[in-house]
Amino acid sequence: MTDRSESFFWNGQRISFEPADTIAAALERAGVTDFGAGQGPCNARYFCGIGACQACVVSVGGTPAEACLTPAQAGQQVRTLKPVRQ
Amino acid sequence: MRSMDVLVIGGGPAGVAAAAEMARSGLKVTLCEQGGALGGAIHRQPGNPARAVPVPRAQSARWHKLSALLAKTDAEVLTFHAFIGLDATGAVLVEDRRQGRLLVLRVRALVLAVGGLERVVPRPGWHLPGVVTVGGLQVMMKVTGRGPAGSVLLAGSGPLLLAVAAQMTALGAPPLAILERSRQVLSPLRAAPLLLWPRYLAEAAGYMRRLMQAGVPWRLGSSVQTIRPTDDGRLETVIVDGAGAVSRIVVDKVALHDGLRSNSDGLPPAAHATDRNPHVVLAGDCREALGGVAAIADGRNAAQQVIARLTGAPPMSSASRRIVDTERRAQQALANIFDFGIPDLLKLPDETILCRCEGRTVGALRQMLATDDQPSPREIKLNGRIGMGSCQGRFCVEWAGAMLAQQTCSAQPAGAEFIGNRWPSRPVAIRSLLGPAVADAISSIPPNESD
Amino acid sequence: MPHEISPVSDRANSVVIVGAGIVGMSAAYFLSQAGWRVTVLDQGAPASGATGAADGAVSVASKKAGPLMTLAVAGAQFYQDLCDAGVLDGEFVRRLTYVVATEPNELPVLDRHATQLREAGVTLRALSKAERDQALGSLAPTTRAAIEVQGDGHAIGYKVVERFRRIGGFAVKRNVAVQGLWRQAGKVAGVETEQGIERADAVLVAAGRGSAAFLDVADVIRPRKGQLIITERGEGIVPRFPGPLMSCRYLISKGSQPGGDAPAGRSFGLVIDPLQTGQFLIGGTREDSADGSQTDIEAVRRLLQEAVELVPALARLRVLRVFAGIRAATRDGLPIVGRLSAHENVWIATGFEGDGICLGPLMGRVSQQLISGAHVNVDISALNPARFRAEAAA
Ligand SMILES: Cc1cc2nc3c(=O)[nH]c(=O)nc-3n(C[C@H](O)[C@H](O)[C@H](O)COP(=O)(O)OP(=O)(O)OC[C@H]3O[C@@H](n4cnc5c(N)ncnc54)[C@H](O)[C@@H]3O)c2cc1C
Ligand SMILES: Cc1cc2nc3c(=O)[nH]c(=O)nc-3n(C[C@H](O)[C@H](O)[C@H](O)COP(=O)(O)OP(=O)(O)OC[C@H]3O[C@@H](n4cnc5c(N)ncnc54)[C@H](O)[C@@H]3O)c2cc1C
Ligand code: FES
């Protein structure tokens, strides 16, 4: 039996998630800790887990949202907030 | 949605206790929780019960009792609903994050129980990916039911480090070590007052037993001073121990925690109703960070205040208030053995990030403060862009205020002097603000209100 | 004898300025450059009034034809001069402004405004659909017409104030509320404060809304509240445009163009200002209210709705902050700058409503010229404080 039934996309790459996972939880499980260029000069990343620090904001379907509060949904396009810097 | 008398914000112990108590008294109560489930910081658990994170039995018993109490009432629970603010007209704004819409609610009372915040003292590298708060690490375990992957160092001060280390260990992912900044934790003289609260001692003993069995060191007097990224994507930590000796360890994650604090930032202040505004009551850790037992009692207190104001019923027993007082003394006793003081931030290297959202450094603030003409907190915010980012100052204004106080040897300004209490208390999607506003959940206010 | 704040030796050629907003702080800088001993007193802190709660449009494009438009041209040029002189370098950027029409009835308003701007010597061009798409790719297809106005700029009020404070050479005293003028031997010799007397040879009242107390005609200065919205950074989410977008309705709300609707207690005029941080400022309201601490969802929704109609991609962002400020409006819509006729050594510079960031440095310079008895090189005859007295007497 597997509960890893569904997946979303992180910068185009498939990430599977379990029921009740937040986006942050699924990324953590996939070993993604650096969420790339963020709102300010620091890279986005998981920090407080409760929606307070805003460090984990990523683009969810084109709109910024906290990865730690947003439930993962099948087929969702999740991306680094800003276009990848060279 | 239905008509309501009282809106409770936050599904932790304080909010649930308040909602249950008010619903039992016959008030129409709606409880909004931004996350997907109730429980709050202590009692949240993975969606899959098979993956439950072990917690002390007394703790889970408290939660079972409380949630059963709520379930027996007709209180309405809305998950994925985040409080945004109370506007000038007295409308309570709630973002329905699932539907992407806004609720504009007129209620008779508003109970805010949004929980406390962790403090993390800035140090070089605290903004790097892989550095998390200890509570954040715990939230992750409680969402996924798994311990963190890779090697983890816990550092800072407070009982939460022990609790989380024990939970990690139980999930098969013990931390490399716990670095506890305080040297006094085991000092019999300092710890003696804690004998009055055997519950805390028993809880700590349980955690320590587990940690000892797993061989997790608890190093007193040690702290993480600097964190640097390594070429292979890991973190090198510079550790200073109680004797001042410096060592380095490379790890995958560093979890930091320097205590808990109340969190009224961006919230309207507690106040009696006016011709526009509802009664506003703050409850639990957001009002005063006193722990889980106090949060339940404080939620009940809040409920009794609201019931008294809305129904004219005399305030009930003072039992909950006594619990809160007792827990306050317990927290003071704990604070006496741990180290929640603010170190000399003026000693931090210039390039240390102070405000992570806007990337403002210690050096930049130091420069602003290096004049005879001392700027006010508001000028520091505007000109230094500290507290102007998306976290709205929650993780930096305490430190900016401390630096100001340390530089000028004056009293530390409150966070509110930097950031005030404007709404939105949290960044809110324009799409939600523009969605169809649901404004029909207005309960009629009877003419004869008490006070 | 009341207690005095500053030592006696500090009194030669001294001036006390009431108010550390952009006007008072600019004046303080120029006066101290001109050799005056300057003390600025503020009941709060620098930029704690309108200056710290404003957008920073140094805009000719939005002005009403007449003295305001002419002064705005000079005001923007003065910013440029101060940048070139190294005084405000980095605090002012030149940029274009776009005025757009989305409704058919806005087209004549846009035409009229363009003509008036041209008459004031402003360079502008009407954008064709193709040019609009090129310059402002993110505009909604419903946009009917747009003009691109040159010569505007942007400056952040509180940063200008901070710059003057840093390079100043004058004293700023915070948390000192001025209660009134202080007279000695029938002559004004300073100001009275809660903390005591501040003596000076001359007084400049630049107290924004608080200036009303120093005028001898009532109801000249009226509070006009504005609510503003700041979004998070839009990089990679909302295409950038080179300067602020103003709706024709903004011109009407501001009173720069007559509007169809009767002036309400609250009007909305849309400006979408792309800030240098990558954030967007979305404004604003004009309300007959003096409560600058409160904002409301109805105003916010209305402004956001209009903003998203014009730039649909904005709907993808989040709102970070909403705040309000109080503009000091005057009965006739023109600022008040000049000597108070009842006193030979008291001057006033206030009533800048929504234009004080644009005009602040210039008016600080003018205040210095007036107080020093130097030649004033712009025409400020329309701003004479005595005009209300004449009106009251009539
Ligand atoms: C991260 C963290 C971990 C902790 N871990 C422990 C522990 O292991 N053991 C222990 O004894 N104590 C722990 N504490 C302390 C303990 O959580 C508190 O004493 C207790 O939970 C406080 O209860 P509360 O109801 O006041 O707040 P919380 O339990 O924090 O509950 C607040 C609730 O409000 C919700 N919320 C927040 N903002 C909004 C909003 N804008 N709109 C809607 N909902 C919102 C949150 O999602 C949360 O569910 C922890 C605290 C934190 C911050
Ligand atoms: C929402 C909003 C948007 C705006 N947008 C723009 C724009 O885009 N472009 C533009 O050009 N302008 C804009 N403005 C207008 C501009 O902000 C003001 O015209 C300008 O800041 C006025 O500056 P000031 O120095 O005259 O007054 P203020 O900045 O109000 O300063 C007056 C100072 O005097 C102090 N004071 C008052 N009374 C006393 C007393 N008795 N004793 C001591 N101190 C006292 C106050 O504390 C205050 O600091 C805007 C204003 C608002 C509110
Ligand atoms: S991790 Fe802090 S808001 Fe998501």
Side-chain angles (χ1 to χ4, degrees), chain C residues 223-279:
Chain C
R224 191 150 297 162
K225 169 172 168 173
Q227 300 188 40
L228 298 178
I229 300 164
I230 307 275
T231 71
E232 62 193 343
R233 289 182 168 78
E235 190 185 337
I237 300 167
V238 180
R240 295 283 295 165
F241 34 92
L245 305 180
M246 283 173 192
S247 70
C248 286
R249 238 167 305 161
Y250 174 79
L251 301 176
I252 296 167
S253 167
K254 194 171 156 57
S256 299
Q257 288 293 341
D261 308 339
R266 141 148 147 178
S267 66
F268 296 81
L270 179 68
V271 181
I272 307 174
D273 199 335
L275 303 179
Q276 274 167 291
T277 53
Q279 298 169 291

Side-chain angles (χ1 to χ4, degrees), chain C residues 17-25 41-59 62-63 79 95 154-155 157 161 176-180 206-211 213-214 224-228 246 250 254 271 273 281 284-286 323-328 349-360:
Chain C
I17 298 179
V18 188
I22 193 168
V23 176
M25 292 294 275
L41 306 179
D42 200 290
Q43 63 190 9
S48 58
T51 302
D55 186 12
V58 175
S59 174
S62 61
K63 298 296 178 283
Y79 263 104
R95 61 176 197 186
H154 190 256
V161 162
V176 180
V178 174
Q179 291 160 322
R209 219 154 52 90
S211 310
F214 296 82
R224 191 150 297 162
K225 169 172 168 173
Q227 300 188 40
L228 298 178
M246 283 173 192
Y250 174 79
K254 194 171 156 57
V271 181
D273 199 335
L281 179 148
T285 62
R286 272 163 208 273
F323 60 91
I326 306 295
R327 310 174 183 94
T350 190
F352 294 98
E353 194 175 347
D355 304 317
I357 304 302
C358 174
L359 299 177

